[in-house]
mmCIF file of all heavy atoms in Angstrom:
data_model
loop_
_atom_site.group_PDB
_atom_site.id
_atom_site.type_symbol
_atom_site.label_atom_id
_atom_site.label_comp_id
_atom_site.label_asym_id
_atom_site.label_seq_id
_atom_site.Cartn_x
_atom_site.Cartn_y
_atom_site.Cartn_z
ATOM 1 N N GLY A 7 -20.220 9.193 19.832
ATOM 2 C CA GLY A 7 -19.353 9.956 18.927
ATOM 3 C C GLY A 7 -20.150 11.018 18.197
ATOM 4 O O GLY A 7 -21.088 10.704 17.460
ATOM 5 N N ASP A 9 -19.439 13.402 15.759
ATOM 6 C CA ASP A 9 -18.957 14.135 14.583
ATOM 7 C C ASP A 9 -19.704 13.663 13.330
ATOM 8 O O ASP A 9 -20.915 13.417 13.392
ATOM 9 C CB ASP A 9 -17.438 14.006 14.454
ATOM 10 C CG ASP A 9 -16.870 14.998 13.445
ATOM 11 O OD1 ASP A 9 -17.512 16.040 13.220
ATOM 12 O OD2 ASP A 9 -15.801 14.735 12.874
ATOM 13 N N ALA A 10 -18.966 13.487 12.229
ATOM 14 C CA ALA A 10 -19.609 13.291 10.922
ATOM 15 C C ALA A 10 -20.633 12.148 10.928
ATOM 16 O O ALA A 10 -21.812 12.361 10.597
ATOM 17 C CB ALA A 10 -18.532 13.039 9.871
ATOM 18 N N ALA A 11 -20.208 10.954 11.298
ATOM 19 C CA ALA A 11 -21.116 9.805 11.226
ATOM 20 C C ALA A 11 -22.214 9.923 12.286
ATOM 21 O O ALA A 11 -23.403 9.742 11.983
ATOM 22 C CB ALA A 11 -20.332 8.505 11.414
ATOM 23 N N GLU A 32 -20.690 12.461 23.429
ATOM 24 C CA GLU A 32 -19.440 12.895 22.795
ATOM 25 C C GLU A 32 -18.453 13.208 23.912
ATOM 26 O O GLU A 32 -18.755 14.005 24.793
ATOM 27 C CB GLU A 32 -19.689 14.128 21.911
ATOM 28 C CG GLU A 32 -18.441 14.890 21.496
ATOM 29 C CD GLU A 32 -17.371 14.031 20.802
ATOM 30 O OE1 GLU A 32 -17.684 13.317 19.855
ATOM 31 O OE2 GLU A 32 -16.194 14.089 21.253
ATOM 32 N N LYS A 33 -17.281 12.573 23.836
ATOM 33 C CA LYS A 33 -16.349 12.750 24.956
ATOM 34 C C LYS A 33 -15.715 14.142 24.991
ATOM 35 O O LYS A 33 -15.346 14.633 26.045
ATOM 36 C CB LYS A 33 -15.290 11.655 24.959
ATOM 37 C CG LYS A 33 -14.317 11.687 23.818
ATOM 38 C CD LYS A 33 -13.296 10.575 23.995
ATOM 39 C CE LYS A 33 -12.327 10.562 22.825
ATOM 40 N NZ LYS A 33 -11.284 9.576 22.947
ATOM 41 N N TYR A 39 -17.834 18.902 13.505
ATOM 42 C CA TYR A 39 -16.756 19.776 13.050
ATOM 43 C C TYR A 39 -16.118 19.208 11.781
ATOM 44 O O TYR A 39 -16.200 18.000 11.538
ATOM 45 C CB TYR A 39 -15.680 19.936 14.132
ATOM 46 C CG TYR A 39 -15.251 18.632 14.781
ATOM 47 C CD1 TYR A 39 -14.236 17.868 14.235
ATOM 48 C CD2 TYR A 39 -15.893 18.167 15.920
ATOM 49 C CE1 TYR A 39 -13.849 16.666 14.819
ATOM 50 C CE2 TYR A 39 -15.519 16.958 16.500
ATOM 51 C CZ TYR A 39 -14.495 16.214 15.952
ATOM 52 O OH TYR A 39 -14.131 15.030 16.516
ATOM 53 N N ALA A 41 -12.843 18.367 10.493
ATOM 54 C CA ALA A 41 -11.398 18.202 10.710
ATOM 55 C C ALA A 41 -10.624 18.413 9.405
ATOM 56 O O ALA A 41 -9.460 18.825 9.419
ATOM 57 C CB ALA A 41 -11.109 16.813 11.275
ATOM 58 N N CYS A 42 -11.313 18.164 8.283
ATOM 59 C CA CYS A 42 -10.667 18.319 6.971
ATOM 60 C C CYS A 42 -10.163 19.747 6.760
ATOM 61 O O CYS A 42 -9.254 19.983 5.961
ATOM 62 C CB CYS A 42 -11.645 17.970 5.855
ATOM 63 S SG CYS A 42 -12.581 16.467 6.152
ATOM 64 N N HIS A 78 -18.932 13.585 27.771
ATOM 65 C CA HIS A 78 -19.336 12.247 28.235
ATOM 66 C C HIS A 78 -18.601 11.187 27.423
ATOM 67 O O HIS A 78 -18.893 11.022 26.222
ATOM 68 C CB HIS A 78 -20.841 12.030 28.048
ATOM 69 C CG HIS A 78 -21.686 12.680 29.091
ATOM 70 N ND1 HIS A 78 -21.845 14.041 29.178
ATOM 71 C CD2 HIS A 78 -22.427 12.139 30.099
ATOM 72 C CE1 HIS A 78 -22.654 14.318 30.190
ATOM 73 N NE2 HIS A 78 -23.011 13.188 30.770
ATOM 74 N N VAL A 80 -18.094 7.404 26.593
ATOM 75 C CA VAL A 80 -18.717 6.088 26.789
ATOM 76 C C VAL A 80 -17.619 5.101 27.166
ATOM 77 O O VAL A 80 -16.600 4.984 26.479
ATOM 78 C CB VAL A 80 -19.489 5.646 25.525
ATOM 79 C CG1 VAL A 80 -19.959 4.206 25.653
ATOM 80 C CG2 VAL A 80 -20.682 6.572 25.305
ATOM 81 N N ALA A 109 -19.841 5.349 16.563
ATOM 82 C CA ALA A 109 -19.220 6.251 15.572
ATOM 83 C C ALA A 109 -18.038 6.949 16.243
ATOM 84 O O ALA A 109 -17.982 8.168 16.349
ATOM 85 C CB ALA A 109 -20.247 7.258 15.069
ATOM 86 N N THR A 110 -17.103 6.110 16.702
ATOM 87 C CA THR A 110 -16.007 6.619 17.545
ATOM 88 C C THR A 110 -14.798 7.107 16.748
ATOM 89 O O THR A 110 -13.806 7.546 17.342
ATOM 90 C CB THR A 110 -15.569 5.520 18.535
ATOM 91 O OG1 THR A 110 -15.464 4.277 17.829
ATOM 92 C CG2 THR A 110 -16.576 5.351 19.657
ATOM 93 N N GLY A 111 -14.840 6.999 15.411
ATOM 94 C CA GLY A 111 -13.794 7.590 14.597
ATOM 95 C C GLY A 111 -12.470 6.834 14.634
ATOM 96 O O GLY A 111 -12.417 5.635 14.920
ATOM 97 N N LEU A 130 -2.037 15.448 14.086
ATOM 98 C CA LEU A 130 -3.161 16.287 13.675
ATOM 99 C C LEU A 130 -4.377 15.393 13.418
ATOM 100 O O LEU A 130 -4.661 15.021 12.284
ATOM 101 C CB LEU A 130 -2.803 17.093 12.414
ATOM 102 C CG LEU A 130 -3.916 18.024 11.901
ATOM 103 C CD1 LEU A 130 -4.357 19.008 12.964
ATOM 104 C CD2 LEU A 130 -3.466 18.770 10.642
ATOM 105 N N TYR A 178 -1.795 12.413 2.624
ATOM 106 C CA TYR A 178 -2.442 13.697 2.328
ATOM 107 C C TYR A 178 -2.289 14.711 3.460
ATOM 108 O O TYR A 178 -2.141 15.905 3.208
ATOM 109 C CB TYR A 178 -3.890 13.523 1.864
ATOM 110 C CG TYR A 178 -4.899 13.162 2.933
ATOM 111 C CD1 TYR A 178 -5.541 14.152 3.653
ATOM 112 C CD2 TYR A 178 -5.232 11.838 3.195
ATOM 113 C CE1 TYR A 178 -6.479 13.830 4.630
ATOM 114 C CE2 TYR A 178 -6.164 11.511 4.157
ATOM 115 C CZ TYR A 178 -6.786 12.505 4.876
ATOM 116 O OH TYR A 178 -7.702 12.189 5.835
ATOM 117 N N ARG A 265 -10.757 3.508 15.952
ATOM 118 C CA ARG A 265 -10.920 3.458 17.416
ATOM 119 C C ARG A 265 -11.957 2.378 17.739
ATOM 120 O O ARG A 265 -13.164 2.632 17.660
ATOM 121 C CB ARG A 265 -11.407 4.828 17.893
ATOM 122 C CG ARG A 265 -10.781 5.248 19.202
ATOM 123 C CD ARG A 265 -11.307 6.592 19.656
ATOM 124 N NE ARG A 265 -10.401 7.692 19.439
ATOM 125 C CZ ARG A 265 -10.692 8.793 18.750
ATOM 126 N NH1 ARG A 265 -11.858 8.925 18.173
ATOM 127 N NH2 ARG A 265 -9.816 9.761 18.631
ATOM 128 N N GLY A 299 -18.406 5.310 9.773
ATOM 129 C CA GLY A 299 -17.317 6.294 9.810
ATOM 130 C C GLY A 299 -15.958 5.638 9.982
ATOM 131 O O GLY A 299 -15.766 4.462 9.650
ATOM 132 N N ASP A 300 -15.028 6.404 10.533
ATOM 133 C CA ASP A 300 -13.623 5.990 10.571
ATOM 134 C C ASP A 300 -13.345 4.796 11.480
ATOM 135 O O ASP A 300 -12.234 4.284 11.489
ATOM 136 C CB ASP A 300 -12.750 7.162 11.040
ATOM 137 C CG ASP A 300 -12.574 8.220 9.973
ATOM 138 O OD1 ASP A 300 -13.222 8.114 8.921
ATOM 139 O OD2 ASP A 300 -11.794 9.166 10.205
ATOM 140 N N PRO A 316 -10.899 5.615 5.641
ATOM 141 C CA PRO A 316 -11.467 6.585 6.598
ATOM 142 C C PRO A 316 -11.573 7.988 6.014
ATOM 143 O O PRO A 316 -10.679 8.807 6.173
ATOM 144 C CB PRO A 316 -10.468 6.524 7.762
ATOM 145 C CG PRO A 316 -9.171 6.111 7.144
ATOM 146 C CD PRO A 316 -9.495 5.304 5.920
ATOM 147 N N LEU A 317 -12.685 8.278 5.350
ATOM 148 C CA LEU A 317 -12.888 9.595 4.737
ATOM 149 C C LEU A 317 -14.287 10.135 5.063
ATOM 150 O O LEU A 317 -15.191 9.380 5.420
ATOM 151 C CB LEU A 317 -12.674 9.518 3.231
ATOM 152 C CG LEU A 317 -11.212 9.307 2.799
ATOM 153 C CD1 LEU A 317 -11.119 9.067 1.306
ATOM 154 C CD2 LEU A 317 -10.326 10.495 3.194
ATOM 155 N N ALA A 318 -14.411 11.455 4.876
ATOM 156 C CA ALA A 318 -15.564 12.171 5.421
ATOM 157 C C ALA A 318 -16.907 11.810 4.780
ATOM 158 O O ALA A 318 -17.910 11.648 5.477
ATOM 159 C CB ALA A 318 -15.326 13.670 5.302
HETATM 160 P P1 FAD B 501 -14.514 11.434 13.925
HETATM 161 O O1 FAD B 501 -14.594 12.665 13.120
HETATM 162 O O2 FAD B 501 -13.171 10.986 14.372
HETATM 163 O O3 FAD B 501 -15.449 11.580 15.193
HETATM 164 C C1 FAD B 501 -15.523 10.599 16.182
HETATM 165 C C2 FAD B 501 -15.960 11.267 17.467
HETATM 166 O O4 FAD B 501 -16.174 10.266 18.445
HETATM 167 C C3 FAD B 501 -14.915 12.217 18.037
HETATM 168 O O5 FAD B 501 -15.484 13.485 18.207
HETATM 169 C C4 FAD B 501 -14.510 11.562 19.361
HETATM 170 O O6 FAD B 501 -14.212 12.499 20.365
HETATM 171 C C5 FAD B 501 -15.755 10.760 19.697
HETATM 172 N N1 FAD B 501 -15.510 9.606 20.573
HETATM 173 C C6 FAD B 501 -14.565 8.646 20.413
HETATM 174 N N2 FAD B 501 -14.646 7.732 21.381
HETATM 175 C C7 FAD B 501 -15.668 8.115 22.178
HETATM 176 C C8 FAD B 501 -16.244 7.578 23.380
HETATM 177 N N3 FAD B 501 -15.791 6.448 23.917
HETATM 178 N N4 FAD B 501 -17.271 8.242 23.945
HETATM 179 C C9 FAD B 501 -17.759 9.385 23.399
HETATM 180 N N5 FAD B 501 -17.244 9.935 22.276
HETATM 181 C C10 FAD B 501 -16.220 9.309 21.672
HETATM 182 N N6 FAD B 501 -11.614 13.305 4.865
HETATM 183 C C11 FAD B 501 -11.933 13.601 3.575
HETATM 184 O O7 FAD B 501 -12.802 12.945 2.997
HETATM 185 N N7 FAD B 501 -11.314 14.639 2.915
HETATM 186 C C12 FAD B 501 -10.360 15.410 3.508
HETATM 187 O O8 FAD B 501 -9.833 16.343 2.883
HETATM 188 C C13 FAD B 501 -9.994 15.107 4.848
HETATM 189 N N8 FAD B 501 -9.052 15.845 5.483
HETATM 190 C C14 FAD B 501 -8.752 15.570 6.790
HETATM 191 C C15 FAD B 501 -7.787 16.334 7.415
HETATM 192 C C16 FAD B 501 -7.455 16.085 8.727
HETATM 193 C C17 FAD B 501 -6.404 16.916 9.401
HETATM 194 C C18 FAD B 501 -8.113 15.041 9.446
HETATM 195 C C19 FAD B 501 -7.777 14.757 10.884
HETATM 196 C C20 FAD B 501 -9.076 14.264 8.819
HETATM 197 C C21 FAD B 501 -9.401 14.517 7.490
HETATM 198 N N9 FAD B 501 -10.353 13.744 6.817
HETATM 199 C C22 FAD B 501 -10.665 14.032 5.507
HETATM 200 C C23 FAD B 501 -11.014 12.589 7.466
HETATM 201 C C24 FAD B 501 -12.377 12.972 8.029
HETATM 202 O O9 FAD B 501 -12.232 14.051 8.896
HETATM 203 C C25 FAD B 501 -12.952 11.754 8.736
HETATM 204 O O10 FAD B 501 -13.140 10.738 7.791
HETATM 205 C C26 FAD B 501 -14.280 12.037 9.431
HETATM 206 O O11 FAD B 501 -14.164 13.038 10.390
HETATM 207 C C27 FAD B 501 -14.777 10.757 10.122
HETATM 208 O O12 FAD B 501 -15.913 11.025 10.890
HETATM 209 P P2 FAD B 501 -16.320 10.088 12.095
HETATM 210 O O13 FAD B 501 -17.588 10.629 12.622
HETATM 211 O O14 FAD B 501 -16.270 8.675 11.679
HETATM 212 O O15 FAD B 501 -15.126 10.198 13.151
#
Side-chain angles (χ1 to χ4, degrees):
D9 193 25
E32 165 55 51
K33 68 178 178 177
Y39 46 88
C42 315
H78 281 70
V80 172
T110 45
L130 181 57
Y178 74 88
R265 219 181 257 124
D300 286 7
L317 289 173

